[in-house]
């Protein structure tokens, strides 16, 4: 449990939702989760650490858009790349970070601050 007074969610981007949890990349480089009810649209007051920065120095503060889809999390970064990581139900497996698309792959800039995944 973390004190929300020192976490700035609005400085980073890409809120995501999955099965009762709102995921928020924060300016401190970590990924946090808060309980969220779709029915009442109430956000829980307790903040939990979902993931710290990856061992390769990757920071969640670089995330522009974030979305969970089945067993993966997709996110865009401020440098224009689309990433995919394995998702274990409540946290990403940072060791599985894979570049999917971006300026150096397909010539497209994916640094948008909004994303949705259609089935």
């Amino acid at each position: 449990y973390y004190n929300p007074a020192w976490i700035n969610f609005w400085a980073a981007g890409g809120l995501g939702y999955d099965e009762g949890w709102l995921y928020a990349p924060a300016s401190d480089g970590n990924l946090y989760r808060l309980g969220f009810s779709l029915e009442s649209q109430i956000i829980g007051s307790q903040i939990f650490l979902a993931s710290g920065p990856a061992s390769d120095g990757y920071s969640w503060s670089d995330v522009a858009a974030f979305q969970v889809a089945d067993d993966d999390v997709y996110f865009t970064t401020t440098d224009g790349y689309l990433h995919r990581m394995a998702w274990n139900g409540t946290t990403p497996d940072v060791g599985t970070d894979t570049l999917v698309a971006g300026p150096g792959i397909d010539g497209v800039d994916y640094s948008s601050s909004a994303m949705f995944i259609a089935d």
Side-chain angles (χ1 to χ4, degrees):
Y1 171 67
Y2 291 84
N3 181 345
W6 56 265
I7 300 171
N8 183 357
F9 293 114
W10 312 120
L15 293 176
Y17 174 82
D18 186 48
E19 298 186 19
W21 293 100
L22 187 63
Y23 290 86
S27 61
D28 67 357
N30 294 314
L31 178 67
Y32 295 93
R33 65 187 176 122
L34 301 90
F36 181 69
S37 169
L38 287 175
E39 293 79 21
S40 64
Q41 298 183 4
I42 294 175
I43 297 174
S45 61
Q46 290 187 327
I47 300 171
F48 302 92
L49 181 67
S51 175
S55 59
D56 63 0
Y58 178 80
S59 173
W60 288 102
S61 63
D62 296 327
V63 170
F66 179 96
Q67 184 64 54
V68 177
D70 297 323
D71 295 331
D72 293 309
V73 59
Y74 292 86
F75 58 95
T76 62
T77 49
T78 54
D79 62 1
Y81 284 89
L82 174 64
H83 299 249
R84 180 182 63 234
M85 281 186 193
W87 185 252
N88 75 10
T90 57
T91 61
D93 180 354
V94 295
T96 64
D97 186 9
T98 303
L99 289 177
V100 176
I105 298 172
D106 60 6
V108 178
D109 184 340
Y110 290 87
S111 61
S112 170
S113 61
M115 175 191 335
F116 72 93
I117 297 175
D119 284 333

